[in-house]
Amino acid sequence: MVVARGVPDSAAVLVPHAPVGVSAARHRLATDLDTRGIGCDVVDDAVLILSELLSNALRHARALPSGNVRAAWWVRPDGLLAIEVTDGGSSTRPRQASPSLSAHGGRGLSIIGTLAADWGVRGTPDEVTVWALVPIEQRDGSDRLWDEFDLDAVDPLD
């Protein structure tokens, strides 16, 4: 179950400390940003960032005392979209990893670092918030990760 509260320029959702709530939070964020007329590229980046932050919280951290993880987003006066996820903390602080090419994970914060204007961590031993800032104005797309790949050169699987 996702409990939500919305105000004109911000929203917060409580997501169960389980994968079931991630898609509902992603959908809520996408709907909120679309309603505000924010461009598709920004919405896609924001949804991916939220998904990575929530996935990391579910995989590596404890739940808040309520048994949930909190996701929040709002438009700042400086034109940046703030996205944050708060959990019950863990024995280590979130940090970017350098996974091997064959690793099945460990790339989430690197993806966030590429898509966001800035990101960071704040908190106490009992509560940790990982945040990211996303510019709302449209970008030309030249810095997107997948623009480095020539999709026409990829052989289809048969």
Side-chain angles (χ1 to χ4, degrees):
M1 176 178 175
V2 174
V3 179
R5 103 179 134 71
V7 295
D9 288 326
S10 67
V13 293
L14 292 175
V15 177
H17 193 267
V20 66
V22 177
S23 67
R26 289 168 44 110
H27 177 74
R28 171 74 187 273
L29 173 62
T31 300
D32 284 359
L33 297 180
D34 186 54
T35 300
R36 292 185 189 133
I38 294 174
C40 293
D41 286 348
V42 175
V43 173
D44 290 345
D45 289 352
V47 167
L48 178 56
I49 289 169
L50 178 63
S51 183
E52 291 295 337
L53 292 176
L54 283 170
S55 295
N56 284 348
L58 297 178
R59 175 174 283 162
H60 301 292
R62 295 180 300 274
L64 293 166
S66 66
N68 298 305
V69 175
R70 184 175 55 249
W73 53 88
W74 65 93
V75 177
R76 295 176 11 155
D78 60 2
L80 293 170
L81 171 66
I83 303 168
E84 57 182 44
V85 170
T86 303
D87 57 49
S90 71
S91 59
T92 61
R93 296 283 279 193
R95 61 178 174 77
Q96 274 185 282
S98 299
S100 70
L101 291 175
S102 61
H104 293 280
R107 294 175 183 82
L109 291 176
S110 294
I111 292 169
I112 291 168
T114 299
L115 296 177
D118 196 12
W119 73 275
V121 181
R122 69 174 186 277
T124 67
D126 297 327
E127 188 173 288
V128 172
T129 299
V130 183
W131 55 267
L133 301 175
V134 181
I136 292 178
E137 67 273 358
Q138 284 288 71
R139 298 180 301 181
D140 65 7
S142 62
D143 59 344
R144 296 183 70 90
L145 288 174
W146 46 85
D147 288 344
E148 297 175 17
F149 302 102
D150 180 2
L151 295 178
D152 294 328
V154 176
D155 293 327
L157 295 175
D158 293 323

